Amino acid sequence: MKTVGHLIGRTLKAYGVPYITGLPGHGNWNLLDAFNDPGSDIPLIQTMHEQAAVHIADAHFRATGNPIAAVTSIGPGAANTVMALANAYCDSTSLLLMTGSTATHMRGHGVMQELDRENIPDFTKVTEHVTKRNFDMITANSAPFILHRAFSAMLTGRPGPVHLNIPLDIQSAETDIDVQDLSKRIPTGRQRADSLAIERAIELLLNAERPCIVAGGGTITSNASGALKRLVERLGIPVVFTWNGKGSLPEDHAMNAGTVGWPGSLTGNTLASEADVVMSLGCKFTDWSASSWRKGVSFSIPESKLIHVDIDPREIGKNYPVEVGIIGDITLVLEDIDAGISDNQANKAYQRRSAQHDRLSKLWDEWDQLMEPRRNHNSIPTTMLTTFRELRKALPRNGIVTVGSGHPQSSTKQDFPIYEPRTHITPGSYSPMGFALPAAIGAKLAKPEAPVVCIIGDGDFMMCMQELATCVMYNVPVVFLILNNSGYISIRDGQDALMGRNIISEFSHEGKNNEPYSVNFPDLAKSFGLDFAEQVRSVDKIAPTIEAALNCGGPALVEVPITRDVSIAAANVVGWWDFPPVPTAPQAVLDDYASGIAAEQHQGQATSNVKIVKAEGAVG
């Protein structure tokens, strides 16, 4: 006989989980105690906040494709995980969250930290909508079944987080049912697509003159980068990237067309909007990836014909009508398409696209010229893109960056080149602050041989800076690159652009002429125990300082002061975002919004007679 806690530890070890992240509390100490014993012993990473524990697990999956576990107590500790669960759920990343719960015989009696007003227990209802599966483990003998079902949910189909709610008495209850063999509890292989759909996709791709592939996060999850590279090199098809698709194809590849959406790149938006055939790979066509579906900005579907490939049938045709909808694993879909095209067919298709390739080259030249002031601002405070220029000098191709929301996220997406899959980790759909720092810890624990840099704004950093303690306690050698512009400046810029004024988006001293306020980040880091913490005072010192930080042997912090000048500070915002303006907004904003609404294609409305806005924002 063994306790459920012992069974969970043995199962996680058998299923390949290298460690668990989390916090202790009275609601999970029976479970944690079992992890001290031989056979069920498993390393634990102690965090300072439960949200961070789940972000660490989230990032581990993004870096490796393998889920791990997080554990928290009952009540507030469990509730602190919800935002991080939502982030993993929206980005389709797998992890296992185990939370403590009131003992079964005490449920519904108003026990401390119990939610029980409407349901007993209520917390499983809280997590129900931010998890792929949600289990309430109310008997000891059900534990082995629930565990293999949890891993089956995480490892098959569309990934997502799973929640296990484990009552206090069940944690220490005994069972004689042993760990289940996971290989006998999940299907073998991956899902292949319908052959007729593959044939139709091949026909469209071969006949297209201006095809474009949109690589979404599913491309990374499927490990499809090799198959994608082979196909685009044979057929000469340009590739654009969404937030989480970045890294699907090396960004120094000839068929790289840049990022798409708002904010994307002029190159990517133009190529995608002009395409006669678009093939989407694991892309949901969110508003930010599709410029709120405004025709001619990022996409024109229709008139472009869409081949939509996804593992989840619910995504097919959700936002755009499809010419061919393909349900299947992206790697296998690309391999089947490739196998169905002869060398002669591929050569003819490639040659037919010479004009498009020339167009791509010209667009890159124009984009590089447009971006020059942002990339080469050689004074302090500097720009984010100049900082990225220097970071790329210091970081090897296999280096991993985790990125927070706001200007750092959009600027990294737009202009920091990524060369390998799973080396760009960012919260694409839910876009929370507080992700990047713990995500860097998770990425480094998952890939200890790879250098890891956390790209984060000062506002974002202050939402999760307590996890510096975790870094120091476990000596996790991550570099935290703080881009300090003293505020939530992406919000300020949006307020100014859409409303002509801003409020509570800058960090400033009240009553002191709004003088910018900033924490002394190097001193703060040193108080946590970081030995290396410096503010860069000249642009030519950025790369050497980052190199020194990467080589210091422990966690390190590098702060770069960033200008607040909206014209150069961060990404060049091309694309469009449907944000309803206030009635007092500038007339140009009101007029553009009315035009944008009329041109949105996601609801199936007719757009043949509306003015089309090109990717660069000019009407024509």
Side-chain angles (χ1 to χ4, degrees):
M1 300 286 285
K2 64 192 74 65
T3 70
V4 167
H6 290 114
L7 176 70
I8 289 174
R10 288 159 56 88
T11 301
L12 294 181
K13 291 180 72 172
Y15 292 178
V17 172
Y19 58 85
I20 303 171
T21 68
L23 271 75
H26 81 274
N28 66 352
W29 61 34
N30 286 350
L31 175 63
L32 294 178
D33 181 71
F35 299 154
N36 285 309
D37 296 331
S40 60
D41 55 317
I42 190 164
L44 277 90
I45 304 296
Q46 179 189 51
T47 62
M48 300 296 115
H49 194 281
E50 292 85 358
Q51 176 182 326
V54 177
H55 283 326
I56 289 173
D58 181 345
H60 186 283
F61 179 81
R62 296 180 197 238
T64 64
N66 300 317
I68 64 165
V71 62
T72 73
S73 187
I74 187 177
N80 278 342
T81 67
V82 172
M83 198 284 292
L85 284 175
N87 182 60
Y89 184 70
C90 286
D91 277 359
S92 303
T93 61
S94 293
L95 61 93
L96 178 67
L97 173 65
M98 302 178 291
T99 61
S101 179
T102 304
T104 55
H105 61 282
M106 299 290 283
R107 285 184 167 184
H109 291 278
V111 173
M112 183 181 70
Q113 297 185 332
E114 179 186 26
L115 288 174
D116 64 350
R117 185 171 299 174
E118 302 295 335
N119 300 278
I120 303 175
D122 255 344
F123 187 66
T124 54
K125 292 295 182 180
V126 173
T127 60
E128 180 179 339
H129 298 290
V130 291
T131 55
K132 185 177 179 182
R133 292 293 304 273
N134 200 9
F135 297 95
D136 189 20
M137 191 180 289
I138 58 173
T139 67
N141 285 347
S142 68
F145 170 79
I146 288 174
L147 286 165
H148 74 68
R149 287 295 81 202
F151 274 80
S152 176
M154 289 188 289
L155 296 172
T156 60
R158 181 175 182 167
V162 171
H163 172 222
L164 269 59
N165 195 57
I166 313 172
L168 274 164
D169 56 329
I170 302 302
Q171 294 174 28
S172 56
E174 292 184 315
T175 179
D176 59 1
I177 303 177
D178 206 350
V179 175
Q180 301 297 290
D181 184 349
L182 187 60
S183 67
K184 297 182 183 300
R185 298 288 185 169
I186 58 176
T188 300
R190 300 183 177 193
Q191 183 174 351
R192 244 193 168 94
D194 180 82
S195 59
L196 293 178
I198 295 293
E199 290 176 8
R200 178 62 178 140
I202 290 173
E203 179 185 0
L204 286 168
L205 291 174
L206 289 178
N207 291 327
E209 293 187 3
R210 302 179 310 281
C212 178
I213 290 176
V214 186
T219 313
I220 303 289
T221 303
S222 177
N223 296 316
S225 295
L228 174 64
K229 185 171 179 286
R230 286 190 296 273
L231 185 67
V232 301
E233 287 177 348
R234 288 190 73 204
L235 300 183
I237 303 178
V239 180
V240 297
F241 310 100
T242 66
W243 295 96
N244 283 320
K246 192 174 170 74
S248 300
L249 190 74
E251 291 191 57
D252 54 359
H253 192 280
M255 289 298 109
N256 164 46
T259 54
V260 70
W262 187 97
S265 66
L266 180 58
T267 307
N269 279 332
T270 301
L271 259 290
S273 66
E274 292 178 351
D276 53 359
V277 172
V278 173
M279 182 162 73
S280 166
L281 305 175
C283 167
K284 297 182 293 185
F285 289 110
T286 63
D287 60 338
W288 273 23
S289 292
S291 289
S292 295
W293 312 284
R294 184 174 181 174
K295 184 177 182 180
V297 180
S298 290
F299 298 102
S300 303
I301 306 172
E303 282 69 34
S304 303
K305 296 178 179 179
L306 176 61
I307 303 167
H308 199 160
V309 183
D310 207 287
I311 196 68
D312 186 351
R314 292 172 296 184
E315 295 297 338
I316 305 294
K318 182 175 76 175
N319 287 323
Y320 285 125
V322 300
E323 196 74 15
V324 184
I326 302 178
I327 303 169
D329 178 82
I330 294 170
T331 297
L332 297 183
V333 168
L334 293 174
E335 289 176 350
D336 287 347
I337 290 175
D338 191 39
I341 298 174
S342 69
D343 288 342
N344 183 52
Q345 289 174 314
N347 289 335
K348 288 182 178 178
Y350 196 106
Q351 293 169 9
R352 187 183 304 118
R353 287 150 198 166
S354 60
Q356 187 192 35
H357 298 163
D358 291 342
R359 172 82 162 140
L360 175 59
S361 179
K362 181 182 178 182
L363 285 169
W364 273 126
D365 288 342
E366 293 174 353
W367 180 246
D368 289 341
Q369 183 177 356
L370 182 65
M371 298 295 282
E372 196 279 336
R374 299 172 189 264
R375 294 172 177 169
N376 298 291
H377 184 78
N378 294 315
S379 61
I380 295 287
T382 189
T383 67
M384 293 190 180
L385 270 54
T386 298
T387 305
F388 293 162
R389 181 194 72 193
E390 298 303 301
L391 172 60
R392 193 68 270 181
K393 295 176 184 177
L395 194 66
R397 291 177 75 91
N398 72 327
I400 298 172
V401 294
T402 65
V403 191
S405 62
H407 276 332
Q409 184 184 37
S410 56
S411 299
T412 302
K413 176 196 177 191
Q414 184 178 82
D415 211 60
F416 184 75
I418 297 294
Y419 303 121
E420 296 184 10
R422 301 189 185 277
T423 61
H424 172 254
I425 296 175
T426 194
S429 292
Y430 210 56
S431 193
M433 300 180 81
F435 170 83
L437 195 162
I441 298 173
K444 187 63 180 180
L445 291 171
K447 292 284 186 71
E449 74 288 353
V452 176
V453 174
C454 169
I455 301 173
I456 191 166
D458 54 304
D460 195 338
F461 182 82
M462 287 191 284
M463 289 196 176
C464 55
M465 61 188 181
Q466 71 278 353
E467 300 309 323
L468 290 180
T470 297
C471 263
V472 173
M473 289 191 299
Y474 294 93
N475 193 33
V476 183
V478 170
V479 174
F480 301 103
L481 179 62
I482 299 180
L483 307 178
N484 188 356
N485 53 17
S486 293
Y488 307 125
I489 301 303
S490 66
I491 302 301
R492 183 209 66 175
D493 291 348
Q495 290 175 332
D496 285 344
L498 294 172
M499 303 171 207
R501 56 187 181 178
N502 64 76
I503 187 170
I504 65 166
S505 50
E506 295 180 341
F507 300 158
S508 301
H509 290 277
E510 288 290 327
K512 294 184 179 181
N513 296 319
N514 287 325
E515 175 188 341
Y517 166 83
S518 179
V519 171
N520 187 319
F521 289 111
D523 282 358
L524 173 73
K526 290 174 182 176
S527 75
F528 272 96
L530 275 71
D531 293 328
F532 189 108
E534 295 185 11
Q535 183 190 74
V536 175
R537 300 186 184 279
S538 65
V539 169
D540 62 350
K541 296 295 185 183
I542 296 176
T545 304
I546 293 173
E547 288 177 357
L550 287 168
N551 294 325
C552 76
L557 182 144
V558 177
E559 177 191 356
V560 179
I562 300 296
T563 179
R564 286 177 168 183
D565 183 349
V566 66
S567 69
I568 57 172
N572 185 355
V573 180
V574 297
W576 191 69
W577 188 22
D578 183 337
F579 192 93
V582 296
T584 55
Q587 190 60 45
V589 171
L590 297 173
D591 292 344
D592 179 67
Y593 186 71
S595 297
I597 285 287
E600 288 182 5
Q601 297 183 287
H602 65 295
Q603 298 185 54
Q605 63 196 38
T607 56
S608 57
N609 295 322
V610 302
K611 289 183 178 181
I612 301 303
V613 176
K614 297 179 181 178
E616 65 269 25
V619 176

